Amino acid sequence: MTTFALATYQTQGHERTAMQIQGKFFDLESCFEAVHPAQHSKPRWVFSSTDAICHWEQTSAELQDLAEQVILLVEQGKLAPLAENLQLQVPFRPTTIFGTASNYQEHAAEMNTILAAKPDSSPYVFMKATTSVTATQTDVILPPETQQLDWEVELGVVIGKAARRVKAADALNYIAGYTVVNDISARDLNRRSDYPFKHDWFRGKSWDTFCPMGPVFVPKQAIVDPHQIKLSLFLNGKQMQDGNTSELIWNVFEQIEYLSSILTLRPGDLIMTGTPAGVGKGIGLYLKPGDVLEASAEGVGCIKNTVRAEVL
């Protein structure tokens, strides 16, 4: 089986969709035309990875078949990859973004968070604005309202079909694939003293550019086990986070079971599954203008972003 990923890139002011195979990017429309030269009408997913993911039950098999044909054409020298200096955009536009907080024991400890025993608890989930999404190689904007901007590398799980009351044992069937997320957080804005409600996850996490995501969308077939993925984050070339999804308190499937017990998960929904230890707050180190962040998930990809102060 040929493994592939989907991406969105910009060229001459327009967004186009690409298929990544063996580390090379190919324009998806060109791929379709090469494989189906006599077919004049093209499906919508040729022009939009978001559309492909939102109709994943129908498109996944078609994309897999296309990938198999593309690799043959490449081997025959009949299809050439795109230039390597692509201007990648976010791979798709999430329908909704969910995040699971304090989902690694060592991260909870560095945050001085005391957790109940797992049998007496459930995942702590918050939501992040979809407008916070930004692509790799873009700037994370540091607003003047915070002095404690922090990083959190996470595996992003993308839902591929409507899920309601799904059991953990069946959850993999509802996953379309994966991406990398850096859950940027303003720690000092996550807490409030002017209300009896002490936490304000919206204010701390939903600013524009606070959700770097990408570089690609990887279908689940390309990942053997979502609970054996190495996560890492480098700040200015120094490794700060070094974890593995095997350490999740609530694993990916349990998170889907929990969320789908409350609401219907929809195709295109993104679940930020939690971050391992090594965030800035644990050592009192926060982001400043010019800092460079590289967040990666093994087998999925790496996103790189630079911090820039907001100009008012």
Side-chain angles (χ1 to χ4, degrees):
M1 181 182 70
T2 299
T3 59
F4 70 93
L6 293 179
T8 300
Y9 71 102
Q10 188 174 81
T11 179
Q12 298 180 340
H14 299 284
E15 286 193 352
R16 294 183 66 86
T17 304
M19 175 175 279
Q20 185 187 44
I21 300 177
Q22 296 180 348
K24 302 290 185 180
F25 289 99
F26 300 85
D27 181 78
L28 193 59
E29 184 179 5
S30 298
C31 290
F32 189 88
E33 290 174 346
V35 172
H36 305 285
Q39 186 170 332
H40 299 294
S41 62
K42 303 180 184 72
R44 290 176 58 186
W45 53 259
V46 167
F47 308 101
S48 168
S49 55
T50 298
D51 185 270
I53 292 167
C54 287
H55 299 89
W56 194 245
E57 286 186 278
Q58 293 77 39
T59 61
S60 58
E62 296 174 62
L63 281 160
Q64 183 63 55
D65 180 67
L66 183 68
E68 304 288 350
Q69 299 301 316
V70 166
I71 197 65
L72 292 176
L73 292 175
V74 172
E75 291 171 352
Q76 296 167 10
K78 297 179 180 179
L79 193 61
L82 294 164
E84 293 187 1
N85 58 340
L86 282 186
Q87 185 180 349
L88 292 176
Q89 306 296 296
V90 291
F92 72 99
R93 291 290 172 180
T95 308
T96 308
I97 302 174
F98 302 95
T100 303
S102 294
N103 202 27
Y104 288 77
Q105 291 287 359
E106 291 185 1
H107 173 57
E110 72 178 346
M111 301 292 282
N112 296 314
T113 301
I114 299 174
L115 300 177
K118 186 174 178 178
D120 302 322
S121 185
S122 60
Y124 188 106
V125 175
F126 61 92
M127 298 177 73
K128 194 172 180 107
T130 56
T131 49
S132 66
V133 170
T134 193
T136 185
Q137 300 291 350
T138 63
D139 291 337
V140 168
I141 305 302
L142 170 61
E145 287 84 355
T146 179
Q147 285 75 51
Q148 296 183 2
L149 198 66
D150 206 347
W151 59 84
E152 293 188 355
V153 61
E154 309 199 16
L155 174 67
V157 172
V158 184
I159 298 300
K161 65 177 180 178
R164 180 75 169 110
R165 298 285 184 187
V166 171
K167 296 300 181 184
D170 300 321
L172 183 61
N173 296 325
Y174 294 82
I175 294 174
Y178 311 97
T179 192
V180 183
V181 180
N182 190 351
D183 179 21
I184 301 295
S185 306
R187 302 297 186 190
D188 46 353
L189 301 183
N190 269 343
R191 292 184 175 274
R192 299 187 69 148
S193 58
D194 54 338
Y195 283 85
F197 325 113
K198 300 306 178 185
H199 289 90
D200 192 337
W201 292 95
F202 168 76
R203 188 175 72 166
K205 290 179 175 285
S206 282
W207 296 72
D208 290 349
T209 75
F210 273 26
C211 190
M213 184 186 85
V216 297
F217 160 81
V218 176
K220 67 180 177 185
Q221 293 87 346
I223 302 297
V224 175
D225 184 355
H227 303 113
Q228 290 293 335
I229 296 177
K230 178 179 174 61
L231 301 176
S232 61
L233 184 136
F234 286 78
L235 172 63
N236 300 325
K238 179 181 179 181
Q239 187 162 12
M240 308 303 292
Q241 290 184 276
D242 181 12
N244 194 291
T245 55
S246 62
E247 303 162 356
L248 286 164
I249 297 172
W250 301 99
N251 70 34
V252 171
F253 304 152
E254 291 170 328
Q255 291 180 57
I256 291 173
E257 177 175 318
Y258 174 74
L259 282 166
S260 70
S261 72
I262 298 172
L263 48 71
T264 300
L265 291 171
R266 297 173 294 170
D269 282 352
L270 173 68
I271 304 172
M272 305 185 305
T273 54
T275 196
V279 301
K281 185 175 181 180
I283 55 175
L285 177 66
Y286 299 105
L287 294 170
K288 62 185 184 304
D291 282 345
V292 178
L293 295 159
E294 295 174 86
S296 64
E298 188 176 24
V300 181
C302 178
I303 52 176
K304 184 176 182 179
N305 301 89
T306 301
V307 178
R308 177 170 61 87
E310 182 177 2
V311 178
L312 301 180

